[in-house]
Amino acid sequence: MNYQSTRNHRQSVSSTQAVLQGLAPDGGLYILKDLPGLHFDWQSVLSLDTFGMAEKILSALLPDFARMPELVRRAYTGKFSTDELTPLAAVGQDYVLELFRGPTSAFKDVALSMLPQLITAAREQEGITDEIVILTATSGDTGKAALEGFHDVEGTKIIVFYPDDGVSAVQKAQMVTQEGKNVCVCAVRGNFDDAQTGVKNAFSACENQGLLAGKGVRLSSANSINIGRLAPQVVYYFKAYADLVRRGVIAVGDKVDYVVPTGNFGDILAGYFAKAMGLPVGTLVCASNANNVLTDFLHTGRYDRRRPFYKTVSPSMDILVSSNLERLLYLLSGCNDEEVAGYMEQLKTEGFYQVSDQLLDRLKGEFWAGFCDDAGTKQTIGQVWQNHGYLCDTHTAVAWNVAQQYRAAVSPSHPLVVLSTASPYKFPVAVLTALGQTPPEDEFDAMERLRELTGVEIPKNLAGLRSKQAIHTDVIDRDDILPYVLDKVSRKNW
Ligand SMILES: *Cc1c(COP(=O)(O)O)cnc(C)c1O
């Protein structure tokens, strides 16, 4: 029983159970009991290839999984455009860690390729015969990455709900053309909140009223509170470090700073896990867009979600409640579950909390934070292209901008690795505008125009989309999500 809830250490489970459950019953997040206590031999993984690294790191973080090498192979073989999965590009005096070379061109592929393997393995090991049905509401990137991960995975089915007027044309095309005998995609009239609320309500109705009892199915979710989504992200911090050693930029033991475009705090928390496992991480730089709740928090120790919500050109970071922060608070408070439960209760009831001075000191020792608005984001895309001939997407540009703020403020002596979370072709209209062009209305035309202008290749999965047939055409109201789910799970074949 090596995992426990951040809100109550007595709520403890195995890593297989943690992956199957997602959220702990008390609303807390599952976390490994003693991360530094793993005594992970971090130096020995630096000489391995990415697959080998993933096996060792995931086996350490999720110790109850019996066949990790096989799960890693199944998750990643042939899915990414390169076997190293996450290449490191030198750009100017910095480094860009490209996390978008997977099947949907967003960094969520790294974790969502692995999660289905972990869920099915956990299901087998725990002797569960029920089919696992994944329900997900998406604002764009997660839905497609989850569909790619789960399609045709034995013992699972997946239903993705997306807001009818809340995703880009490219994102919609990515989802409604998804093939696979166990997948279902449905539009919900309204915005992302409508879709998410409808899905949450469906979840709790099924649980509380036992609507699925005896039907041979159980519901699960693919969002980033699941430890099975977080753990695979730890690997690329090691991979980037090993690349810098191989290139002679650093010696083993030297520190590296990582700059992370942050929304739900999953990606950057994985960097903190890597550090806790021994990797010589210097500072973790938290980069936000105009929704800068985390910048304020890391400066003042006060987390306050009572603020305006901005729709930005980096939509995957438009978040006011960063769920994974809870795990960091737990670790930095010395695993004080009562303290964490108190903060989370206050956030829920009053909309804010203020951490102790001691905790704030610790946060400041590990993290640096900055933000960048849409104008800055676009300006950065233009500058990086002009100065370095490197084309980056809007989320990466936020991180690049904050990396330069960090350099100006701190003059760091370590190399900077900027995490790049999406292909520029996922956001072609914003990127074209940033390059001073007037984008065509049609997003696919914009993609083509961006290619002509820059000569950067369009990822295959995006280039082929336009000619693909839409398979999923259902559109429903938010209040019909529950009956829709119940109808779906009652049918054997989709
Ligand atoms: C999800 C996402 C992020 C934010 O990652 P978190 O783990 O939520 O902090 C950043 N960029 C892109 C492109 C994303 O899809």
Side-chain angles (χ1 to χ4, degrees):
M1 296 302 158
N2 30 38
Y3 270 77
Q4 61 194 35
S5 165
T6 46
R7 297 185 196 178
N8 179 355
H9 68 275
R10 281 178 296 274
Q11 192 95 56
S12 84
V13 296
S14 65
S15 53
T16 38
Q17 287 162 343
V19 164
L20 280 175
Q21 287 180 27
L23 202 64
D26 61 3
L29 308 190
Y30 283 121
I31 187 153
L32 196 62
K33 271 185 186 149
D34 185 10
L35 207 47
L38 282 180
H39 301 295
F40 184 67
D41 183 5
W42 63 272
Q43 298 199 16
S44 74
V45 303
L46 298 181
S47 56
L48 303 175
D49 64 13
T50 311
F51 281 53
M53 262 184 208
E55 286 166 28
K56 286 277 189 305
I57 292 166
L58 288 169
S59 297
L61 288 172
L62 304 167
D64 306 292
F65 287 79
R67 296 173 288 118
M68 199 58 90
E70 183 191 331
L71 301 182
V72 169
R73 240 180 298 123
R74 275 206 261 181
Y76 293 121
T77 305
K79 300 260 182 71
F80 283 56
S81 68
T82 155
D83 280 345
E84 56 172 332
L85 305 183
T86 54
L88 187 71
V91 180
Q93 55 180 324
D94 300 319
Y95 297 88
V96 173
L97 179 57
E98 298 183 338
L99 305 177
F100 58 82
R101 301 291 182 186
T104 79
S105 302
F107 103 100
K108 292 186 171 65
D109 286 330
V110 177
L112 281 164
S113 299
M114 194 66 213
L115 183 66
Q117 302 303 329
L118 294 172
I119 287 184
T120 48
R123 173 176 173 265
E124 262 172 47
Q125 280 184 234
E126 295 287 322
I128 289 162
T129 51
D130 286 351
E131 194 169 50
I132 311 278
V133 178
I134 305 291
L135 287 193
T136 298
T138 184
S139 58
D141 289 341
T142 302
K144 177 59 179 182
L147 287 164
E148 267 304 324
F150 280 94
H151 81 87
D152 296 327
V153 172
E154 210 56 45
T156 72
K157 284 181 172 155
I158 174 165
I159 311 178
V160 171
F161 295 98
Y162 70 92
D164 203 16
D165 49 36
V167 301
S168 75
V170 171
Q171 287 174 323
K172 179 172 173 177
Q174 279 189 303
M175 290 188 278
V176 299
T177 59
Q178 178 68 46
E179 293 166 10
K181 58 184 188 314
N182 64 336
V183 306
C184 167
V185 178
C186 178
V188 178
R189 289 185 195 95
N191 59 25
F192 173 62
D193 273 337
D194 293 308
Q196 187 165 48
T197 307
V199 168
K200 277 190 182 157
N201 292 346
F203 258 110
S204 42
C206 288
E207 296 263 305
N208 301 341
Q209 303 166 34
L211 297 177
L212 297 175
K215 296 202 163 144
V217 293
R218 66 162 78 184
L219 298 182
S220 188
S221 138
N223 79 27
S224 71
I225 46 135
N226 193 315
I227 191 66
R229 249 192 81 173
L230 201 60
Q233 297 177 5
V234 176
V235 178
Y236 47 72
Y237 285 89
F238 283 83
K239 159 73 169 58
Y241 189 90
D243 281 342
L244 291 174
V245 172
R246 271 191 283 270
R247 293 178 198 180
V249 177
I250 54 167
V252 174
D254 290 349
K255 285 186 174 163
V256 173
D257 295 340
Y258 293 85
V259 187
V260 190
T262 300
N264 214 11
F265 212 78
D267 200 359
I268 193 167
L269 182 69
Y272 185 74
F273 277 24
K275 186 172 189 177
M277 291 170 82
L279 190 72
V281 175
T283 299
L284 289 160
V285 179
C286 176
S288 301
N289 63 24
N291 295 295
N292 59 358
V293 59
L294 285 168
T295 319
D296 288 347
F297 173 65
L298 291 168
H299 289 164
T300 65
R302 185 182 174 87
Y303 195 100
D304 195 339
R305 68 168 162 83
R306 300 165 302 173
R307 57 174 70 218
F309 174 83
Y310 300 107
K311 281 186 97 154
T312 73
V313 292
S314 45
S316 301
M317 295 157 65
D318 291 347
I319 287 179
L320 291 182
V321 178
S322 301
S323 325
N324 268 301
L325 187 60
E326 180 169 347
R327 287 189 167 106
L328 180 70
L329 297 178
Y330 180 81
L331 292 171
L332 290 183
S333 68
C335 307
N336 190 333
D337 51 359
E338 274 177 43
E339 187 177 339
V340 173
Y343 295 145
M344 292 305 126
E345 181 59 25
Q346 199 186 354
L347 181 64
K348 191 169 135 197
T349 54
E350 298 177 57
F352 77 99
Y353 60 86
Q354 170 82 43
V355 299
S356 67
D357 289 347
Q358 195 191 17
L359 189 46
L360 178 58
D361 281 345
R362 290 195 177 159
L363 283 166
K364 285 187 167 170
E366 305 283 352
F367 294 86
W368 195 90
F371 74 99
C372 163
D373 64 11
D374 276 0
T377 305
K378 287 183 178 167
Q379 198 183 23
T380 301
I381 291 172
Q383 279 169 355
V384 176
W385 175 247
Q386 290 281 319
N387 298 341
H388 308 295
Y390 188 83
L391 189 65
C392 67
D393 97 294
T394 48
H395 304 75
T396 309
V398 169
W400 185 277
N401 183 297
V402 172
Q404 307 319 315
Q405 294 178 36
Y406 172 64
R407 187 193 305 291
V410 176
S411 306
S413 53
H414 317 134
L416 289 190
V417 172
V418 175
L419 275 61
S420 175
T421 48
S423 159
Y425 285 104
K426 278 205 95 165
F427 306 95
V429 171
V431 174
L432 262 182
T433 314
L435 297 181
Q437 306 288 309
T438 308
E441 242 169 60
D442 183 281
E443 274 191 34
F444 290 98
D445 289 342
M447 246 188 231
E448 194 49 46
R449 184 90 147 265
L450 187 58
R451 191 190 62 78
E452 284 163 14
L453 186 74
T454 62
V456 175
E457 223 182 297
I458 305 178
K460 279 204 187 74
N461 74 79
L462 297 176
L465 264 186
R466 195 175 206 171
S467 55
K468 274 195 163 178
Q469 194 70 31
I471 303 170
H472 308 278
T473 52
D474 289 351
V475 185
I476 63 172
D477 286 326
R478 164 179 132 174
D479 293 337
D480 292 330
I481 290 182
L482 177 62
Y484 186 88
V485 169
L486 293 176
D487 175 60
K488 275 284 168 187
V489 300
S490 69
R491 298 166 194 240
K492 193 109 196 78
N493 294 312
W494 288 11

